[in-house]
Amino acid sequence: MKLYTNNDRFMVWQVKQLLDEHNIPCFIKNEFASGAMGELSPLDCQPEVWLNDGSWQQRAELLIDQMETQTSVEWECSACGETNGGNFEVCWQCGQETHIDQ
Ligand SMILES: [Zn+2]
């Protein structure tokens, strides 16, 4: 069954990795689709995380919830001290990529 999908392949891989760490059997579909768009609509090209077994769904969704909460934690720019939302990869104030090289 399909568990998770996102335009951002990085996020899909994070979910896959998260489930692997918790020994939840899963696999990725459409992994390479966005490299070969062709005549497919963008929606068809989204990579997806699928569970081998639907009985893991509740546990898997809980883990994804936790992960998304963690990634939305605010961070403080070490260059200018500005507080940024966790969904920003660079400081919106000065452009410094501060929290990536942790
Ligand atoms: Zn900054």
Side-chain angles (χ1 to χ4, degrees):
M1 57 160 289
K2 185 166 81 177
L3 174 71
Y4 180 87
T5 184
N6 196 308
N7 269 327
D8 186 347
R9 195 184 308 184
F10 178 72
M11 285 302 295
V12 171
W13 273 103
Q14 282 216 314
V15 168
K16 170 75 164 67
Q17 199 172 30
L18 182 74
L19 299 182
D20 280 348
E21 281 170 11
H22 292 83
N23 297 316
I24 296 176
C26 62
F27 59 98
I28 288 186
K29 280 181 82 165
N30 296 341
E31 182 184 350
F32 303 109
S34 57
M37 297 279 273
E39 294 172 5
L40 295 171
S41 74
L43 205 61
D44 291 331
C45 290
Q46 282 193 347
E48 299 168 344
V49 179
W50 284 62
L51 290 176
N52 294 4
D53 181 346
S55 62
W56 288 98
Q57 182 184 8
Q58 204 173 12
R59 172 132 178 81
E61 285 178 343
L62 195 69
L63 288 168
I64 293 170
D65 268 3
Q66 285 172 353
M67 186 189 79
E68 287 178 338
T69 305
Q70 279 168 14
T71 55
S72 66
V73 168
E74 291 184 337
W75 55 280
E76 188 176 296
C77 176
S78 65
C80 73
E82 188 60 50
T83 301
N84 295 278
N87 53 332
F88 289 96
E89 292 191 352
V90 299
C91 174
W92 66 270
Q93 179 76 3
C94 70
Q96 175 98 353
E97 295 183 35
T98 311
H99 74 317
I100 285 178
D101 51 22
Q102 280 175 358

